[in-house]
Amino acid sequence: MAESDDTPDDVFFRELTGAYAEVRQAFADHVGMSRPRLQILMRLWRHGETSHSDLRRVLGLDGASVTRLVKEFEADGLVARRLDPGDNRYTLARLTPAGERTAAGLADAHRLYQARLLDGIPPRDQETVLRVLARLRANVRTYDDRSG
């Protein structure tokens, strides 16, 4: 709801951040799986065997969360773990065949879900939004370069 003293800029950024927050969480809610769980499964599916430390770094999760989630997936038969033969300080995780099937199903469901979210939004409008977002991000980088 717009406040009487909101500027068009205020409304733009409020709607942008609100839409981002809703879309970011929507698919995880739709499939009934937390975002971090989805992120780990999809990262392993797309990139294959990965160390816990790489999952932590790339996904922005803390190490304890990664270990806990990977162990849960292992208990569910979706992930297998092993020590890195090149450096046994690291643990590697990979999807099992059941994990591959689960992740492939989630990827298919995600494509269908995105299509549903974009229903009624013509490609030209999607392209306009992408141009606006690209410009906004360029402005952020330019501002950061000048202020740093």
Side-chain angles (χ1 to χ4, degrees):
M1 181 175 187
E3 300 285 328
S4 61
D5 57 348
D6 281 350
T7 67
D9 292 348
D10 293 333
V11 174
F12 175 85
F13 284 106
R14 185 177 55 249
E15 290 300 313
L16 178 65
T17 57
Y20 170 72
E22 288 178 38
V23 169
R24 183 178 165 136
Q25 186 61 40
F27 182 68
D29 291 345
H30 175 70
V31 297
M33 184 180 288
S34 72
R35 283 191 66 252
R37 286 178 66 88
L38 274 170
Q39 288 176 300
I40 288 173
L41 275 180
M42 299 317 295
R43 178 72 185 187
L44 293 173
W45 187 64
R46 290 184 181 113
H47 298 277
E49 188 171 61
T50 305
S51 72
H52 285 214
S53 61
D54 283 347
L55 290 170
R56 180 191 52 75
R57 182 182 48 78
V58 170
L59 301 177
L61 301 171
D62 65 86
S65 294
V66 168
T67 299
R68 179 181 49 80
L69 292 170
V70 169
K71 283 183 175 182
E72 288 173 7
F73 284 134
E74 184 177 37
D76 294 339
L78 301 177
V79 169
R81 297 180 320 138
R82 69 184 180 114
L83 289 178
D84 184 337
D87 187 342
N88 65 7
R89 293 175 298 168
Y90 297 101
T91 301
L92 301 175
R94 65 171 171 74
L95 294 178
T96 62
E100 292 279 345
R101 289 188 298 277
T102 298
L106 286 168
D108 289 342
H110 191 253
R111 281 188 289 278
L112 292 172
Y113 194 73
Q114 284 179 326
R116 196 171 104 207
L117 290 182
L118 291 171
D119 185 43
I121 303 173
R124 71 180 179 281
D125 289 351
Q126 293 176 42
E127 291 166 8
T128 298
V129 170
L130 289 174
R131 280 193 306 276
V132 169
L133 291 173
R135 182 62 210 196
L136 181 64
R137 293 177 80 190
N139 289 348
V140 167
R141 286 188 299 274
T142 301
Y143 182 82
D144 286 347
D145 289 345
R146 281 188 263 159
S147 64

